Amino acid sequence: MKMIGQVVENVSLLLLAFALLGLLAAPGAVAAEKTKKAIFAGGCFWCMEKPFEQLDGVFSVTSGYIGGRTENPTYENYGAGGHIEAIEIVYDPARVGYAKLLDVFWRQIDPTDSGGQFVDRGHAYTSGIFYLDEEQRQLAGKSKNELAGRKVFAKPIVTPIVPATRFYPAEEYHQDYYKKNPIRYRIYRGGSGRDQFLEKIWGDQSRAAKKWSEAELRHRLTPLQYKVTQEEDTEPAFRNEYWDNKRAGIYVDIVSGEPLFSSLDKYDSGTGWPSFTRPLSPARIVEREDRRLFAKRTEVRSREGESHLGHVFADGPPPTGLRYCLNSAALRFIPVVDLAKEGYGEFLPLFQKK
């Protein structure tokens, strides 16, 4: 009898343990049931992930395709099937409401453009709100009307609000692209026109979102690199990394990775600093007047990273007559053999013999 009693007691304890486990699991199950989804299209889905992933209460953001006629679209054929690039957001409505998601959405796009978004043209890159229930439809319509009433944009808002159809996740290499390929992402985004447009419409908010914090920069850069790029210091002549570098390749911004100059345009200026006759792309260079040394000079900065690079002078050799006199500490050199591996394969043709 004593043994039977012990067995009964053990079974009771076991049942109690299972009950407690059920109670502990219940809150998670309830929380899972309370998550909701939202689907937005704003052109390139790479650019739409980060703003939402940063929100408290957002669990995941998935890039994918929606709105087309075909099943299981891929990156190679989604446009032909009528799909557009979109993102699917899983969020906790108790922590971040759909109205907040809408506000973030409007601040990422040009809702007056029916032909695409920024540099990406065509139906596959158009904007849209895909509602999943009546509440989302009403909130989306309300936010669109309020935005139109504020006269933020010079032209009418044309972003459609339509029922959601099946959302197809994109290939894995597209997910969190800005994290997996930060250099390529920044180059693409910087040249897409998106940030320039958003800054013009919304002011400093869009620009601040892409800036690196002081702590991040101090962690990533050496003290000299920080002083040169962020505090406009100048490194010693003839005692810097690239003044006499003769290897073939390109020079990129040490902060942002923007491709700035090529060894094909580098020459020995006799100054002790790396000098170039022209940049790879003038659009990536910002020039500003500099009067700090009691003389008028032209400062050179990178557009995306806003790094101080050096100065440009009108005493260079042909064919431009310019001398871009730069600090090695503001640059990172990538040899030709590493261009493809580093994500700069587009510049390989420059170095191929004709």
Side-chain angles (χ1 to χ4, degrees):
M1 292 295 293
K2 184 176 181 181
M3 182 177 295
I4 295 175
Q6 185 65 45
V7 170
V8 171
E9 182 179 354
N10 289 342
V11 171
S12 299
L13 289 173
L14 188 61
L15 291 173
L16 177 61
F18 281 131
L20 287 173
L21 287 173
L23 289 173
L24 291 173
V30 173
E33 292 175 0
K34 288 184 177 179
T35 60
K36 297 190 69 174
K37 292 182 178 181
I39 302 175
F40 300 124
C44 173
F45 44 34
W46 297 344
C47 296
M48 294 294 290
E49 287 185 332
K50 185 177 181 180
F52 292 98
E53 288 188 342
Q54 293 177 327
L55 294 177
D56 178 47
V58 168
F59 297 123
S60 66
V61 181
T62 303
S63 289
Y65 318 108
I66 195 170
R69 304 176 299 275
T70 57
E71 295 184 358
N72 302 313
T74 67
Y75 192 63
E76 286 69 33
N77 62 24
Y78 77 93
H83 294 277
I84 67 176
E85 293 193 10
I87 56 170
E88 181 184 71
I89 303 164
V90 177
Y91 66 100
D92 180 356
R95 294 163 62 192
V96 57
Y98 189 68
K100 174 63 177 178
L101 298 181
L102 288 166
D103 181 62
V104 173
F105 167 72
W106 293 122
R107 292 172 183 268
Q108 310 308 315
I109 69 168
D110 177 1
T112 69
D113 191 345
S114 61
Q117 287 290 293
F118 312 106
V119 73
D120 297 310
R121 311 310 301 163
H123 174 72
Y125 298 104
T126 52
S127 63
I129 297 173
F130 296 84
Y131 62 85
L132 293 156
D133 55 37
E134 180 60 19
E135 180 187 26
Q136 288 189 354
R137 185 189 72 80
Q138 292 185 14
L139 288 172
K142 179 182 178 182
S143 70
K144 181 177 179 179
N145 292 334
E146 289 177 348
L147 184 63
R150 291 166 58 189
K151 306 293 184 183
V152 174
F153 302 95
K155 296 185 293 184
I157 295 175
V158 297
T159 298
I161 300 172
V162 295
T165 53
R166 183 174 177 181
F167 176 86
Y168 295 91
E171 294 80 351
E172 180 58 32
Y173 68 88
H174 286 300
Q175 310 303 331
D176 285 330
Y177 188 87
Y178 73 95
K179 294 179 181 178
K180 298 174 182 175
N181 303 276
I183 292 176
R184 297 299 299 160
Y185 172 75
R186 286 172 183 154
I187 293 171
Y188 164 77
R189 177 138 188 162
S192 70
R194 184 183 294 259
D195 286 326
Q196 293 89 328
F197 175 84
L198 298 179
E199 184 178 356
K200 179 181 177 181
I201 298 297
W202 301 105
D204 292 337
Q205 297 179 45
S206 60
R207 193 171 187 79
K210 66 172 184 171
K211 290 283 288 182
W212 295 270
S213 69
E214 179 182 348
E216 288 174 322
L217 289 172
R218 288 190 181 278
H219 177 73
R220 291 176 50 198
L221 305 177
T222 67
L224 178 60
Q225 290 170 342
Y226 185 88
K227 288 181 69 66
V228 167
T229 60
Q230 307 304 307
E231 298 177 349
E232 302 172 20
D233 205 346
T234 301
E235 65 193 3
F238 299 103
R239 289 189 289 120
N240 55 77
E241 189 172 3
Y242 302 129
W243 77 272
D244 197 33
N245 184 31
K246 296 181 174 62
R247 298 176 67 190
I250 67 172
Y251 296 80
V252 305
D253 180 3
I254 192 67
V255 173
S256 66
E258 297 163 83
L260 301 175
F261 293 88
S262 165
S263 61
L264 299 173
D265 303 307
K266 189 173 185 291
Y267 74 102
D268 184 359
S269 65
T271 62
W273 289 287
S275 300
F276 304 82
T277 58
R278 60 188 171 189
L280 274 170
S281 171
R284 295 193 177 101
I285 298 297
V286 176
E287 298 182 3
R288 299 178 181 176
E289 184 177 306
D290 179 3
R291 293 183 177 271
R292 287 175 301 155
L293 296 182
F294 308 103
K296 182 179 178 181
R297 298 185 299 170
T298 303
E299 180 195 9
V300 176
R301 286 181 171 268
S302 61
R303 180 170 296 280
E304 176 68 16
E306 296 185 347
S307 302
H308 169 76
L309 305 174
H311 294 82
V312 59
F313 303 92
D315 58 5
T320 66
L322 299 175
R323 171 171 60 96
Y324 287 86
C325 187
L326 310 181
N327 290 278
S328 293
L331 305 172
R332 182 168 74 94
F333 175 71
I334 302 177
V336 171
V337 295
D338 292 334
L339 288 179
K341 180 179 67 176
E342 293 267 4
Y344 299 94
E346 65 194 273
F347 296 105
L348 279 171
L350 296 177
F351 300 93
Q352 295 172 350
K353 293 182 179 181
K354 297 181 180 180

